[in-house]
Amino acid sequence: MAYPAELDSSASTGIAPAFSPLYQQIKGLMLKSLQAGEWKPGESIPSEVELAVRFRVSQGTVRKAIDELAAENLLMRRQGKGTFVATHAEQHVRYRFLKLIPDDGDPSSEGPAQRAFIDCKRLRAAADTARALGLRSGDPILQLRRVLSFANQPTILEDIWLPGGPFKGLTAERLSAYHGPMYALFETEFGVRMVRAQEKLRAVLPDPDQSALLKVAQNTPLLSVERIAFTYDDKAMELRRGLYRTDKHYYRNELN
Amino acid sequence: MAYPAELDSSASTGIAPAFSPLYQQIKGLMLKSLQAGEWKPGESIPSEVELAVRFRVSQGTVRKAIDELAAENLLMRRQGKGTFVATHAEQHVRYRFLKLIPDDGDPSSEGPAQRAFIDCKRLRAAADTARALGLRSGDPILQLRRVLSFANQPTILEDIWLPGGPFKGLTAERLSAYHGPMYALFETEFGVRMVRAQEKLRAVLPDPDQSALLKVAQNTPLLSVERIAFTYDDKAMELRRGLYRTDKHYYRNELN
DNA sequence: CAGTGGTCTAGACCACACT
DNA sequence: GTGTGGTCTAGACCACTGC
């Protein structure tokens, strides 16, 4: 269990010493362990004292590294139990990235979403899709389309694009068979953990296909939500275009 | 400079001891100082060592309190200079709550917004407005309407409701004369600092008035953004309904 | 009880800004 | 140089969990 101890001696680089605190370097090493799958979603990581020994620093320094990773929702601390790798499979963080809330404000009032997969095909990336995912035009990708219904009303229409490589073997059947958040399945089946995402929102009108699938009139304004989701290494691993009905729901955002 | 030292002795309450760490209590005291205006936006607060002496705790404990306040954007730390009360008047935090970004992604490309105040009247709060602001129906409130234009194109139509009491003396003239973010004026002129806000987003169609003011067709889908903004004590101090054009801009959101 | 994370302290030293 | 925030350490003790 000896460790490379590749901590920045801050010499020999010559140009741009760029002071990096110890705890940042520890954080980087821990990120590597997460990324490499040494610590898997839902599992506990070694205790603070163990890590302090391993990295040859004080417990306080390890602590500060963990603090930051916890603040970024990569780790979860539980007093008395340990520190755990965050996961999309837990009850109370499910749908962490879904900000659409029913008007009454209680997400549990309408029960879980009903999901219907309309489509799942493999094809070659178009230019814009490729760019968004950091691929090259023509690279193999996977395209999904699904409808989410709440209280038996179609509410969300989503088109999803995934890079073909990491998601080899993903089929409509496996998606339909899986109960729980899609990102939880990505974690367990493909080792892809979505860590962070950015969304671009617009108000749009649906095209005929879309209005039919959502069962709304064509002049119904809908919320367009384009999401790019990133993994540990800040690599884009999913492009998603959602169309949200907002007559009985709203998109909630907190500003700080 | 003696201090009340009203730190939780954690006795005598009887029911629910509810352990509260020292740094949380310090944080609470500092919040009071902010709220009371002892430390004003833009100014520096006492140094960590001074505060440690004042509160009779170690510097590390003060530090942790400040850390949390800084994480909530109430304070700003600047190494070598000091810790400052956050403000909406600074260049690099201007429009912190405005998430509408031009399609090219560069908020500075189109220069500052042109503002035009359409309306400013005092009236009595309707039931729903009153509830949102924590007032009673009929309480005096102030209603504003303005249009923000980017690159000479009307882009945002906003209706704003403010409680009459704290904003006594606010007029259309003062608003028009002031150059800079509206929230910065609130800070300097009325001692109201907006700290946090929540927004509800929907896709809607404009009514005739709205479409005329934004110079768009009536069947143009628009992004409706309803915001409630809060001050230090988590008291709602502003209700704002915005209509955003999203043909050349998008609403950007980061998910963590 | 032992093991975990959480708090608090005191002191040394570093990086940065101003003068 | 002085004063500020930032890092790192070592140790003591507290709160929570589960055996």
Side-chain angles (χ1 to χ4, degrees):
Chain A
M1 194 50 75
Y3 227 69
E6 57 201 65
L7 301 188
D8 178 24
S9 54
S10 196
S12 82
T13 53
I15 275 183
F19 166 69
S20 165
L22 241 190
Y23 75 89
Q24 285 287 4
Q25 303 177 45
I26 303 300
K27 184 182 167 190
L29 293 177
M30 293 182 66
L31 251 167
K32 267 193 198 169
S33 290
L34 287 167
Q35 199 172 325
E38 179 185 344
W39 305 326
K40 297 200 173 55
E43 294 178 356
S44 75
I45 70 172
S47 77
E48 295 180 354
V49 283
E50 278 181 80
L51 291 172
V53 171
R54 187 206 269 205
F55 295 131
R56 301 170 159 279
V57 297
S58 81
Q59 183 182 353
T61 300
V62 167
R63 201 171 167 70
K64 187 146 188 184
I66 293 180
D67 277 345
E68 292 213 347
L69 292 169
E72 296 168 25
N73 292 310
L74 301 188
L75 296 178
M76 297 264 298
R77 327 188 69 147
R78 277 187 256 169
Q79 180 170 143
K81 301 184 70 172
T83 302
F84 299 77
V85 182
T87 168
H88 286 274
E90 280 173 50
Q91 191 63 32
H92 84 285
V93 264
R94 282 163 78 132
Y95 308 115
R96 208 180 87 206
F97 287 178
L98 179 57
K99 318 263 288 181
L100 198 70
I101 311 286
D103 280 345
D104 67 21
D106 179 11
S108 63
S109 66
E110 49 189 15
Q114 298 100 49
R115 303 162 308 159
F117 284 92
I118 309 294
D119 204 7
C120 173
K121 46 187 173 197
R122 314 189 151 270
L123 34 81
R124 306 263 151 199
D128 59 339
T129 317
R131 190 160 31 80
L133 292 175
L135 304 174
R136 273 175 288 198
S137 293
D139 282 353
I141 59 170
L142 217 134
Q143 178 178 336
L144 310 176
R145 167 169 277 200
R146 67 168 179 174
V147 172
L148 297 183
S149 298
F150 297 98
N152 266 323
Q153 183 176 68
T155 305
I156 299 181
L157 169 62
E158 281 180 324
D159 287 301
I160 302 174
W161 292 269
L162 302 166
F167 288 97
K168 204 181 297 277
L170 180 60
T171 63
E173 291 73 41
R174 283 176 88 171
L175 282 164
S176 300
Y178 189 83
H179 293 277
M182 186 182 284
Y183 288 164
L185 179 143
F186 289 178
E187 284 174 8
T188 54
E189 302 295 312
F190 303 96
V192 173
R193 159 136 181 94
M194 299 306 186
V195 154
R196 158 182 105 72
Q198 53 180 253
E199 293 191 331
K200 298 182 181 182
L201 278 66
R202 296 185 143 89
V204 301
L205 295 179
D207 67 28
D209 273 7
Q210 294 164 340
S211 68
L213 286 166
L214 283 174
K215 294 181 181 155
V216 296
Q218 268 207 252
N219 64 349
T220 308
L222 297 172
L223 188 59
S224 160
V225 180
E226 180 177 310
R227 176 193 298 171
I228 299 181
F230 301 87
T231 52
Y232 285 126
D233 47 352
D234 268 318
K235 218 177 129 191
M237 283 295 267
E238 182 200 55
L239 170 62
R240 185 183 287 219
R241 272 193 252 269
L243 272 189
Y244 296 3
R245 284 189 65 161
T246 56
D247 49 346
K248 295 196 175 63
H249 297 73
Y250 62 90
Y251 182 104
R252 180 183 182 125
N253 196 23
E254 306 280 340
L255 307 182
N256 297 301
Chain B
M1 196 49 78
Y3 226 69
E6 56 202 65
L7 301 187
D8 178 24
S9 56
S10 196
S12 81
T13 54
I15 275 184
F19 166 70
S20 163
L22 241 189
Y23 75 88
Q24 286 286 2
Q25 303 177 44
I26 304 300
K27 183 183 167 188
L29 293 176
M30 295 183 65
L31 251 167
K32 268 193 197 167
S33 291
L34 287 167
Q35 200 171 325
E38 179 186 343
W39 304 326
K40 298 200 173 52
E43 294 178 356
S44 75
I45 70 171
S47 75
E48 294 180 354
V49 283
E50 279 181 79
L51 290 172
V53 171
R54 186 206 269 204
F55 295 131
R56 300 170 158 281
V57 298
S58 80
Q59 183 182 353
T61 301
V62 169
R63 199 169 170 72
K64 187 147 187 182
I66 294 180
D67 277 345
E68 292 212 348
L69 292 169
E72 295 167 26
N73 292 310
L74 301 189
L75 295 178
M76 297 265 298
R77 327 190 68 149
R78 278 188 256 168
Q79 181 170 146
K81 300 184 72 173
T83 302
F84 299 77
V85 183
T87 169
H88 286 275
E90 280 173 51
Q91 192 62 33
H92 84 286
V93 261
R94 282 164 78 131
Y95 309 113
R96 207 179 89 206
F97 286 179
L98 178 57
K99 318 264 285 180
L100 198 68
I101 311 285
D103 280 346
D104 68 20
D106 179 11
S108 62
S109 65
E110 46 190 19
Q114 298 99 50
R115 303 162 309 157
F117 283 92
I118 309 294
D119 205 7
C120 173
K121 45 188 174 196
R122 312 189 152 273
L123 33 81
R124 307 261 151 202
D128 59 339
T129 316
R131 190 160 29 79
L133 292 175
L135 303 174
R136 273 174 290 200
S137 295
D139 281 354
I141 58 168
L142 217 134
Q143 179 179 336
L144 310 175
R145 167 169 279 199
R146 67 168 179 175
V147 172
L148 297 182
S149 299
F150 296 97
N152 265 323
Q153 183 175 68
T155 306
I156 299 182
L157 169 62
E158 280 181 323
D159 287 301
I160 303 175
W161 292 269
L162 303 166
F167 289 97
K168 204 182 299 272
L170 181 61
T171 62
E173 290 72 40
R174 282 176 87 173
L175 283 165
S176 300
Y178 188 84
H179 293 277
M182 186 181 284
Y183 287 164
L185 180 143
F186 289 178
E187 285 175 6
T188 55
E189 302 294 313
F190 304 95
V192 173
R193 159 137 181 92
M194 301 304 188
V195 155
R196 158 182 104 71
Q198 53 180 252
E199 293 190 330
K200 298 182 180 183
L201 279 64
R202 296 186 144 88
V204 302
L205 295 179
D207 67 28
D209 273 7
Q210 295 164 338
S211 68
L213 286 166
L214 283 174
K215 296 182 180 154
V216 297
Q218 268 207 253
N219 64 349
T220 307
L222 297 172
L223 188 59
S224 160
V225 180
E226 180 177 311
R227 175 193 300 172
I228 299 179
F230 301 87
T231 52
Y232 285 128
D233 48 352
D234 268 318
K235 219 177 130 190
M237 284 293 268
E238 182 199 56
L239 171 61
R240 186 182 284 219
R241 271 192 252 270
L243 273 190
Y244 297 1
R245 285 189 65 162
T246 57
D247 48 345
K248 295 197 175 61
H249 298 73
Y250 61 91
Y251 183 104
R252 180 185 181 123
N253 197 22
E254 305 280 340
L255 307 182
N256 297 300

